Amino acid sequence: MKYKRILLKLSGEALMGDRQYGIDPSRLAEYADEIKEIHDKGVEIAIVIGGGNIFRGVAGASNGMDRVQGDYMGMLATIINGMALQGALEDKGMLTRLQTALKIEAIAEPYIKRRAVRHLEKGRIVIFGAGTGNPYFTTDTAAVLRGVEIHADVILKGTRVDGIYTSDPEKDPTATKFDYISFEDVLKKGLNVMDTTAFTLSQENKLPILVFDMNKKGNLIKICEGENIGTVVNI
């Protein structure tokens, strides 16, 4: 396998499937099947999920809510998604651990870097919830931060689009896809890959980001086997 240890970043919206909000159990089961494929091949897997299918702090703030309060609500949404994914993975026979940046001992371990790494070494899938535990930081930033801390080989960002394009391919039919692009070129061209904090953290720590379509069956295993899927951002 090309990658020994990965950090998989999923958006909360991805869990909605065709619904308007919430969690689609069939989509969860599909993701669990994809993750099981690479787990069975010996890949060590850590996961960060967003909470946009339940609540988004920025959206709350735009409607007059206190931003800090809204962000904490968003963190709790990521824990709900983490619990849902944990259940789906365990239904397929995988061992998991949910670690959160906010202490909720009844349902999850507090995030401890050494413990997370030990779980990965033992073949358990580790799901990181509650982002970084701080308001004003996105789950993209949490994904890169955790990826750096656990010494992941790559950040795999699963989206609805099959890579990075010159412009939004859903709006611009003339948009062309990059197979490979440097961090510097992403910034020069003003492409939207991750928020600036997350992207800069990844660049400074030389941690590559691979953007791919998570909803296409088989993509995850193909990436881990070294096939040219999606777009790689690297130094």
Side-chain angles (χ1 to χ4, degrees), residues 195-206:
D195 71 80
T196 310
T197 307
F199 194 76
T200 305
L201 187 61
S202 190
Q203 182 180 19
E204 286 177 351
N205 289 278
K206 300 180 174 60

Side-chain angles (χ1 to χ4, degrees), residues 10-190:
L10 300 173
S11 70
E13 286 90 340
L15 301 186
M16 291 191 299
D18 296 325
R19 301 183 178 199
Q20 296 300 309
Y21 60 88
I23 299 168
D24 180 356
S26 61
R27 174 57 57 83
L28 262 184
E30 287 169 14
Y31 281 179
D33 285 333
E34 296 283 306
I35 292 165
K36 188 175 192 306
E37 273 194 288
I38 62 170
H39 180 261
D40 289 348
K41 294 278 189 178
V43 177
E44 296 175 3
I45 308 159
I47 304 171
V48 170
I49 311 183
N53 56 321
I54 299 171
F55 189 83
R56 213 177 251 290
V58 174
S62 67
N63 290 317
M65 180 180 286
D66 177 69
R67 172 65 190 272
V68 173
Q69 189 83 339
D71 279 356
Y72 278 115
M73 290 170 70
M75 289 177 215
L76 295 176
T78 71
I79 296 172
I80 292 171
N81 284 339
M83 292 174 70
L85 182 61
Q86 182 178 38
L89 293 171
E90 291 185 343
D91 280 347
K92 305 285 182 183
M94 287 166 275
L95 295 174
T96 69
R97 291 293 186 274
L98 175 61
Q99 290 197 346
T100 60
L102 301 175
K103 288 185 179 179
I104 313 181
E105 286 92 339
I107 56 173
E109 297 178 359
Y111 170 68
I112 299 170
K113 183 251 185 189
R114 288 178 182 272
R115 185 178 287 176
V117 170
R118 189 72 183 123
H119 288 321
L120 292 169
E121 290 171 347
K122 287 186 173 182
R124 298 166 186 150
I125 295 171
V126 182
I127 303 165
F128 298 119
T132 66
N134 301 289
Y136 297 99
F137 290 93
T138 66
T139 49
D140 276 351
T141 301
V144 176
L145 178 62
R146 297 292 181 246
V148 171
E149 286 180 309
I150 65 168
H151 307 294
D153 299 323
V154 66
I155 302 288
L156 299 183
K157 182 170 181 178
T159 66
R160 296 178 302 175
V161 184
D162 64 341
I164 300 169
Y165 284 75
T166 49
S167 58
D168 187 344
E170 294 179 347
K171 296 176 182 173
D172 181 3
T174 65
T176 55
K177 177 174 167 274
F178 297 100
D179 290 329
Y180 175 92
I181 188 168
S182 68
F183 284 103
E184 194 175 335
D185 283 343
V186 168
L187 294 171
K188 276 182 187 173
K189 296 175 189 295

Side-chain angles (χ1 to χ4, degrees), residues 186-232:
V186 168
L187 294 171
K188 276 182 187 173
K189 296 175 189 295
L191 302 175
N192 186 22
V193 178
M194 283 183 165
D195 71 80
T196 310
T197 307
F199 194 76
T200 305
L201 187 61
S202 190
Q203 182 180 19
E204 286 177 351
N205 289 278
K206 300 180 174 60
L207 179 59
I209 302 167
L210 196 157
V211 180
F212 72 106
D213 182 358
M214 182 66 188
N215 296 332
K216 186 171 180 183
K217 189 172 171 56
N219 267 358
L220 195 56
I221 185 77
K222 287 175 183 175
I223 286 167
C224 291
E225 287 173 344
E227 283 194 40
N228 186 19
I229 303 285
T231 303
V232 178

